Amino acid sequence: MSFQADLEKLFGLKDVSYKYELSKDALFNEAIAHDRGRVRRDGPSDEQKAFPTQLGVNGPLVYYTDPDCTGRRTKDTYAVKWPEVADEIWFKADLNAYDPEKYEGLLKRVIAHLNDKKATLYVKDVFMGSDPDFAVPYRFVGEYATHAMFVHNMFPKNLPGVKDVDARRWTMLNVPSFICEPERDGSRSEAAVIIDTRNKICLVAGRADYCGVNKKTIFTVGNYLMPKQGRLSMHCSANVGKDNDAAILFGLSGTGKTTLSADAARRLIGDDETIWSDNGLCNLEDGCYAKLIDLDKDAEPVIAQALSKPGTIIENVPPLPGKKMEECHPDELDLTDGSIAENTRFSYPLDANPNVMPNGQGPHPKTIVLLTADAFGVLPPISILEPKDVMYHFVSGFTARVAGTEVGVSEPQPTFSACFGGPFMAQKPNVYAKLLAEKMEKHHARCILLNTGWSGGPYGTGKRMKLSVTRALLNAALNGELDNVETETQDILKLKMPKSCPGVDSAILDPRNTWADKAAYDATATKLRDMFRENFKKKGFAEFGIEERI
């Protein structure tokens, strides 16, 4: 059956035209000529959204999202609450339940809208994952050539050996020109991102045109599908050392996940989405989607070099003052300019990295790293976790951000995101935690909690852990040098700390020693312990069979 017949059968699309599997150069030109929508909050809905730089097709495409969608619309992300998945999917604030009847009505209206306007749709066939044993066929169908080009960048293509492609395919229908009406459609706002597990559909209706929606939505699908097959889907980076020793690094934004996984002595598997299967580790992507705001080009040379390469996409970076984007060289753009969005982004192929594993695959990991940046300054720089500790800290997903700029906010703010990627976890957290514990036991993997945050006091008093110290601690763990070291347990937070580590001053390994005011340390550690306990109770983790460890 042709792809047109597939789409007519699946959706009822009859009066549309398609541009199927265009090259990246063709999509570049199509985006500039045809991608239209809102780019200013008070502007019209038909402004140009994609632009060339001075390099033309030999450089990046620069794309501007709707001003209400400069990141994922988490409150507008849903899964259809079909009866067969009502008790299986982990419905929560960033994956809401959508009424099946309302969804069916909305989908019909979106299709009618496309048929009535005789829409032109761009189609890309790719895969989520490069291991043919489980790769998920993913068909993108959407109004924007930029989105098709993004999908081409970010996912494996032309993967041989995948069975039952048509039967297993998921299809995303991305329609920014349709405006949802909450009272009629059952949405919260004028936009909705909806996962339909029964029909293998991802529907993006309305102004949700941030490129990352096309990646994170299908990864949420993967996080639903893979655990059902006994495969652990993870929001993490992964790399491999010279002795074929793999490691995975979990961590929320700002904890050092990308920085620490980019190691000249280790080959990269991936920096964001990874599967741990019976075959080992596998990147689900074929590209990188990096933050650009305040990028240090000396510290991140791979991204800096890729900025001017053809076929890449720069998102929400403004042109230089007084110039049109087509007059700007991409290397001259001001990456500190957050006037359009703080979440400026850059999409580029994985092979732009000079040191990657073939097909984004690697062996079973020897080391699991849970990263946190504790701005309270009370967690040890490194802790050695037992299996039950791993499950507890994995579902907690803790980091602490520095104090905000609001009046009266003067102390660090805790963040808890289950499995270090809560919004994308479609199954309940114990599903992932149990799989992690089982795979760690089976493959004899060690686990550490690595604190890249503050020492000697909280933010404002103490100092951020030096990257060189964090690297030394991480390398010691990766090399097995902490496996049999003498330890002691921190009384309040119940964390097992090594008493020595090669290349690191042992005085800093117990964080209490670094505080001048020991009573203040105890009080702050007790406060953080209580935050952990409150989160554990609030999320109902005990009901999922997770043991409280603090």
Side-chain angles (χ1 to χ4, degrees), residues 5 9 13 24-25 62 70 91 113 179 221 233 242 275 281 377 381 452 456 467 496 502 518 520:
K9 180 180 178 182
L13 289 166
K24 287 174 74 174
D25 283 0
V62 182
T70 58
F91 292 110
H113 166 79
I179 305 301
V221 169
S233 52
K242 58 182 174 56
I275 289 292
L281 297 176
T452 62
L467 180 58
K496 189 163 72 171
K518 303 297 191 280

PDB file of all heavy atoms in Angstrom, residues 5 9 13 24-25 62 70 91 113 179 221 233 242 275 281 377 381 452 456 467 496 502 518 520:
ATOM      1  N   ALA A   5      -2.233   6.039   0.405  1.00  0.00           N
ATOM      2  CA  ALA A   5      -3.348   5.170   0.779  1.00  0.00           C
ATOM      3  C   ALA A   5      -3.340   4.905   2.282  1.00  0.00           C
ATOM      4  O   ALA A   5      -4.396   4.860   2.930  1.00  0.00           O
ATOM      5  CB  ALA A   5      -3.269   3.859  -0.003  1.00  0.00           C
ATOM      6  N   LYS A   9      -6.410   5.937   4.754  1.00  0.00           N
ATOM      7  CA  LYS A   9      -7.057   4.927   5.602  1.00  0.00           C
ATOM      8  C   LYS A   9      -6.979   5.311   7.078  1.00  0.00           C
ATOM      9  O   LYS A   9      -7.952   5.168   7.826  1.00  0.00           O
ATOM     10  CB  LYS A   9      -6.394   3.565   5.380  1.00  0.00           C
ATOM     11  CG  LYS A   9      -6.997   2.436   6.213  1.00  0.00           C
ATOM     12  CD  LYS A   9      -6.280   1.116   5.943  1.00  0.00           C
ATOM     13  CE  LYS A   9      -6.851  -0.004   6.808  1.00  0.00           C
ATOM     14  NZ  LYS A   9      -6.117  -1.279   6.573  1.00  0.00           N
ATOM     15  N   LEU A  13      -7.501  11.590   5.003  1.00  0.00           N
ATOM     16  CA  LEU A  13      -6.935  12.684   4.212  1.00  0.00           C
ATOM     17  C   LEU A  13      -7.131  12.367   2.725  1.00  0.00           C
ATOM     18  O   LEU A  13      -6.573  11.398   2.206  1.00  0.00           O
ATOM     19  CB  LEU A  13      -5.449  12.849   4.537  1.00  0.00           C
ATOM     20  CG  LEU A  13      -5.130  13.425   5.923  1.00  0.00           C
ATOM     21  CD1 LEU A  13      -3.657  13.227   6.257  1.00  0.00           C
ATOM     22  CD2 LEU A  13      -5.508  14.901   5.986  1.00  0.00           C
ATOM     23  N   LYS A  24      17.328  17.294   2.268  1.00  0.00           N
ATOM     24  CA  LYS A  24      17.453  18.401   3.216  1.00  0.00           C
ATOM     25  C   LYS A  24      17.601  19.735   2.489  1.00  0.00           C
ATOM     26  O   LYS A  24      17.073  20.758   2.945  1.00  0.00           O
ATOM     27  CB  LYS A  24      18.630  18.157   4.159  1.00  0.00           C
ATOM     28  CG  LYS A  24      18.338  17.063   5.179  1.00  0.00           C
ATOM     29  CD  LYS A  24      19.535  16.714   6.019  1.00  0.00           C
ATOM     30  CE  LYS A  24      19.835  17.769   7.046  1.00  0.00           C
ATOM     31  NZ  LYS A  24      20.927  17.348   7.964  1.00  0.00           N
ATOM     32  N   ASP A  25      18.288  19.748   1.350  1.00  0.00           N
ATOM     33  CA  ASP A  25      18.405  20.991   0.585  1.00  0.00           C
ATOM     34  C   ASP A  25      17.034  21.451   0.100  1.00  0.00           C
ATOM     35  O   ASP A  25      16.704  22.643   0.159  1.00  0.00           O
ATOM     36  CB  ASP A  25      19.327  20.799  -0.614  1.00  0.00           C
ATOM     37  CG  ASP A  25      20.799  20.793  -0.224  1.00  0.00           C
ATOM     38  OD1 ASP A  25      21.101  20.931   0.984  1.00  0.00           O
ATOM     39  OD2 ASP A  25      21.660  20.645  -1.126  1.00  0.00           O
ATOM     40  N   VAL A  62      17.516  29.012   9.857  1.00  0.00           N
ATOM     41  CA  VAL A  62      17.145  29.665  11.111  1.00  0.00           C
ATOM     42  C   VAL A  62      15.625  29.746  11.182  1.00  0.00           C
ATOM     43  O   VAL A  62      14.978  30.257  10.259  1.00  0.00           O
ATOM     44  CB  VAL A  62      17.770  31.074  11.221  1.00  0.00           C
ATOM     45  CG1 VAL A  62      17.406  31.700  12.569  1.00  0.00           C
ATOM     46  CG2 VAL A  62      19.282  31.000  11.073  1.00  0.00           C
ATOM     47  N   THR A  70       7.997  28.428  22.823  1.00  0.00           N
ATOM     48  CA  THR A  70       9.459  28.429  22.705  1.00  0.00           C
ATOM     49  C   THR A  70      10.078  27.238  23.441  1.00  0.00           C
ATOM     50  O   THR A  70      11.289  27.136  23.570  1.00  0.00           O
ATOM     51  CB  THR A  70      10.039  29.753  23.243  1.00  0.00           C
ATOM     52  OG1 THR A  70       9.634  29.911  24.606  1.00  0.00           O
ATOM     53  CG2 THR A  70       9.540  30.935  22.416  1.00  0.00           C
ATOM     54  N   PHE A  91      -0.732   9.126  34.264  1.00  0.00           N
ATOM     55  CA  PHE A  91      -1.319  10.438  34.024  1.00  0.00           C
ATOM     56  C   PHE A  91      -0.904  11.383  35.153  1.00  0.00           C
ATOM     57  O   PHE A  91      -0.956  11.036  36.337  1.00  0.00           O
ATOM     58  CB  PHE A  91      -2.839  10.343  33.944  1.00  0.00           C
ATOM     59  CG  PHE A  91      -3.331   9.591  32.734  1.00  0.00           C
ATOM     60  CD1 PHE A  91      -3.921   8.330  32.866  1.00  0.00           C
ATOM     61  CD2 PHE A  91      -3.190  10.127  31.469  1.00  0.00           C
ATOM     62  CE1 PHE A  91      -4.364   7.635  31.757  1.00  0.00           C
ATOM     63  CE2 PHE A  91      -3.640   9.431  30.347  1.00  0.00           C
ATOM     64  CZ  PHE A  91      -4.228   8.184  30.492  1.00  0.00           C
ATOM     65  N   HIS A 113     -10.235  20.265   8.355  1.00  0.00           N
ATOM     66  CA  HIS A 113      -9.505  21.521   8.158  1.00  0.00           C
ATOM     67  C   HIS A 113      -8.442  21.357   7.069  1.00  0.00           C
ATOM     68  O   HIS A 113      -8.320  22.209   6.170  1.00  0.00           O
ATOM     69  CB  HIS A 113      -8.858  21.926   9.492  1.00  0.00           C
ATOM     70  CG  HIS A 113      -7.826  22.994   9.410  1.00  0.00           C
ATOM     71  ND1 HIS A 113      -8.143  24.329   9.305  1.00  0.00           N
ATOM     72  CD2 HIS A 113      -6.448  22.928   9.412  1.00  0.00           C
ATOM     73  CE1 HIS A 113      -7.020  25.046   9.249  1.00  0.00           C
ATOM     74  NE2 HIS A 113      -5.991  24.217   9.324  1.00  0.00           N
ATOM     75  N   ILE A 179      -6.526  25.854  15.035  1.00  0.00           N
ATOM     76  CA  ILE A 179      -6.604  26.463  16.362  1.00  0.00           C
ATOM     77  C   ILE A 179      -7.674  25.728  17.180  1.00  0.00           C
ATOM     78  O   ILE A 179      -8.853  25.715  16.810  1.00  0.00           O
ATOM     79  CB  ILE A 179      -6.939  27.968  16.281  1.00  0.00           C
ATOM     80  CG1 ILE A 179      -5.927  28.687  15.386  1.00  0.00           C
ATOM     81  CG2 ILE A 179      -6.966  28.582  17.675  1.00  0.00           C
ATOM     82  CD1 ILE A 179      -4.489  28.583  15.848  1.00  0.00           C
ATOM     83  N   VAL A 221       6.222   8.163  23.627  1.00  0.00           N
ATOM     84  CA  VAL A 221       5.670   6.906  23.101  1.00  0.00           C
ATOM     85  C   VAL A 221       6.648   5.759  23.355  1.00  0.00           C
ATOM     86  O   VAL A 221       6.268   4.682  23.826  1.00  0.00           O
ATOM     87  CB  VAL A 221       5.369   7.033  21.593  1.00  0.00           C
ATOM     88  CG1 VAL A 221       5.049   5.663  20.989  1.00  0.00           C
ATOM     89  CG2 VAL A 221       4.221   8.002  21.350  1.00  0.00           C
ATOM     90  N   SER A 233      13.829   2.260  28.777  1.00  0.00           N
ATOM     91  CA  SER A 233      13.998   3.531  28.064  1.00  0.00           C
ATOM     92  C   SER A 233      14.405   4.584  29.079  1.00  0.00           C
ATOM     93  O   SER A 233      13.810   4.688  30.151  1.00  0.00           O
ATOM     94  CB  SER A 233      12.701   3.928  27.361  1.00  0.00           C
ATOM     95  OG  SER A 233      11.614   3.903  28.258  1.00  0.00           O
ATOM     96  N   LYS A 242      37.810   3.154  26.568  1.00  0.00           N
ATOM     97  CA  LYS A 242      38.731   2.401  25.705  1.00  0.00           C
ATOM     98  C   LYS A 242      38.708   0.906  25.995  1.00  0.00           C
ATOM     99  O   LYS A 242      39.078   0.099  25.138  1.00  0.00           O
ATOM    100  CB  LYS A 242      40.150   2.945  25.853  1.00  0.00           C
ATOM    101  CG  LYS A 242      40.713   2.918  27.253  1.00  0.00           C
ATOM    102  CD  LYS A 242      42.112   3.519  27.294  1.00  0.00           C
ATOM    103  CE  LYS A 242      42.644   3.627  28.714  1.00  0.00           C
ATOM    104  NZ  LYS A 242      42.662   2.383  29.460  1.00  0.00           N
ATOM    105  N   ILE A 275      18.237   3.474  25.096  1.00  0.00           N
ATOM    106  CA  ILE A 275      17.563   2.224  25.454  1.00  0.00           C
ATOM    107  C   ILE A 275      18.601   1.235  25.981  1.00  0.00           C
ATOM    108  O   ILE A 275      19.687   1.088  25.400  1.00  0.00           O
ATOM    109  CB  ILE A 275      16.855   1.596  24.230  1.00  0.00           C
ATOM    110  CG1 ILE A 275      15.643   2.427  23.830  1.00  0.00           C
ATOM    111  CG2 ILE A 275      16.410   0.168  24.533  1.00  0.00           C
ATOM    112  CD1 ILE A 275      14.505   2.407  24.814  1.00  0.00           C
ATOM    113  N   LEU A 281      23.337  -1.058  25.032  1.00  0.00           N
ATOM    114  CA  LEU A 281      22.814   0.299  24.959  1.00  0.00           C
ATOM    115  C   LEU A 281      22.622   0.722  23.508  1.00  0.00           C
ATOM    116  O   LEU A 281      23.394   0.334  22.623  1.00  0.00           O
ATOM    117  CB  LEU A 281      23.757   1.288  25.647  1.00  0.00           C
ATOM    118  CG  LEU A 281      23.977   1.089  27.154  1.00  0.00           C
ATOM    119  CD1 LEU A 281      25.018   2.082  27.672  1.00  0.00           C
ATOM    120  CD2 LEU A 281      22.668   1.244  27.926  1.00  0.00           C
ATOM    121  N   GLY A 377      24.140  22.626  49.006  1.00  0.00           N
ATOM    122  CA  GLY A 377      25.508  22.368  49.443  1.00  0.00           C
ATOM    123  C   GLY A 377      25.658  21.298  50.498  1.00  0.00           C
ATOM    124  O   GLY A 377      26.661  21.293  51.222  1.00  0.00           O
ATOM    125  N   PRO A 381      29.994  15.053  47.523  1.00  0.00           N
ATOM    126  CA  PRO A 381      30.410  15.155  46.120  1.00  0.00           C
ATOM    127  C   PRO A 381      30.178  13.853  45.354  1.00  0.00           C
ATOM    128  O   PRO A 381      29.880  13.872  44.170  1.00  0.00           O
ATOM    129  CB  PRO A 381      31.909  15.481  46.215  1.00  0.00           C
ATOM    130  CG  PRO A 381      32.101  16.026  47.571  1.00  0.00           C
ATOM    131  CD  PRO A 381      31.080  15.374  48.454  1.00  0.00           C
ATOM    132  N   THR A 452      27.341  17.737  41.381  1.00  0.00           N
ATOM    133  CA  THR A 452      28.117  18.767  40.682  1.00  0.00           C
ATOM    134  C   THR A 452      27.798  20.160  41.216  1.00  0.00           C
ATOM    135  O   THR A 452      28.154  21.160  40.594  1.00  0.00           O
ATOM    136  CB  THR A 452      27.825  18.723  39.170  1.00  0.00           C
ATOM    137  OG1 THR A 452      26.433  19.014  38.949  1.00  0.00           O
ATOM    138  CG2 THR A 452      28.138  17.356  38.594  1.00  0.00           C
ATOM    139  N   GLY A 456      30.876  23.583  50.890  1.00  0.00           N
ATOM    140  CA  GLY A 456      31.283  24.609  51.842  1.00  0.00           C
ATOM    141  C   GLY A 456      30.165  25.539  52.254  1.00  0.00           C
ATOM    142  O   GLY A 456      30.381  26.508  52.985  1.00  0.00           O
ATOM    143  N   LEU A 467      35.010  21.551  38.133  1.00  0.00           N
ATOM    144  CA  LEU A 467      34.815  20.503  37.133  1.00  0.00           C
ATOM    145  C   LEU A 467      35.944  19.480  37.202  1.00  0.00           C
ATOM    146  O   LEU A 467      35.712  18.278  37.024  1.00  0.00           O
ATOM    147  CB  LEU A 467      34.725  21.115  35.732  1.00  0.00           C
ATOM    148  CG  LEU A 467      34.519  20.144  34.571  1.00  0.00           C
ATOM    149  CD1 LEU A 467      33.242  19.326  34.754  1.00  0.00           C
ATOM    150  CD2 LEU A 467      34.485  20.902  33.242  1.00  0.00           C
ATOM    151  N   LYS A 496      26.171   6.746  51.546  1.00  0.00           N
ATOM    152  CA  LYS A 496      27.463   6.102  51.783  1.00  0.00           C
ATOM    153  C   LYS A 496      28.550   6.842  51.001  1.00  0.00           C
ATOM    154  O   LYS A 496      28.507   6.903  49.759  1.00  0.00           O
ATOM    155  CB  LYS A 496      27.398   4.629  51.369  1.00  0.00           C
ATOM    156  CG  LYS A 496      28.622   3.831  51.785  1.00  0.00           C
ATOM    157  CD  LYS A 496      28.365   2.343  51.729  1.00  0.00           C
ATOM    158  CE  LYS A 496      28.285   1.821  50.322  1.00  0.00           C
ATOM    159  NZ  LYS A 496      28.251   0.350  50.262  1.00  0.00           N
ATOM    160  N   PRO A 502      41.338   8.727  44.591  1.00  0.00           N
ATOM    161  CA  PRO A 502      42.562   9.179  43.925  1.00  0.00           C
ATOM    162  C   PRO A 502      42.400  10.560  43.305  1.00  0.00           C
ATOM    163  O   PRO A 502      41.429  10.835  42.603  1.00  0.00           O
ATOM    164  CB  PRO A 502      42.784   8.109  42.838  1.00  0.00           C
ATOM    165  CG  PRO A 502      42.083   6.895  43.353  1.00  0.00           C
ATOM    166  CD  PRO A 502      40.895   7.398  44.107  1.00  0.00           C
ATOM    167  N   LYS A 518      28.929  23.980  61.505  1.00  0.00           N
ATOM    168  CA  LYS A 518      28.439  22.598  61.436  1.00  0.00           C
ATOM    169  C   LYS A 518      26.960  22.500  61.789  1.00  0.00           C
ATOM    170  O   LYS A 518      26.217  21.689  61.212  1.00  0.00           O
ATOM    171  CB  LYS A 518      29.260  21.697  62.373  1.00  0.00           C
ATOM    172  CG  LYS A 518      30.763  21.701  62.090  1.00  0.00           C
ATOM    173  CD  LYS A 518      31.076  21.154  60.721  1.00  0.00           C
ATOM    174  CE  LYS A 518      32.573  20.901  60.527  1.00  0.00           C
ATOM    175  NZ  LYS A 518      33.320  22.138  60.215  1.00  0.00           N
ATOM    176  N   ALA A 520      24.722  24.754  61.134  1.00  0.00           N
ATOM    177  CA  ALA A 520      23.991  25.217  59.941  1.00  0.00           C
ATOM    178  C   ALA A 520      23.934  24.111  58.893  1.00  0.00           C
ATOM    179  O   ALA A 520      22.909  23.930  58.219  1.00  0.00           O
ATOM    180  CB  ALA A 520      24.665  26.462  59.366  1.00  0.00           C
TER     181      ALA A 520
END
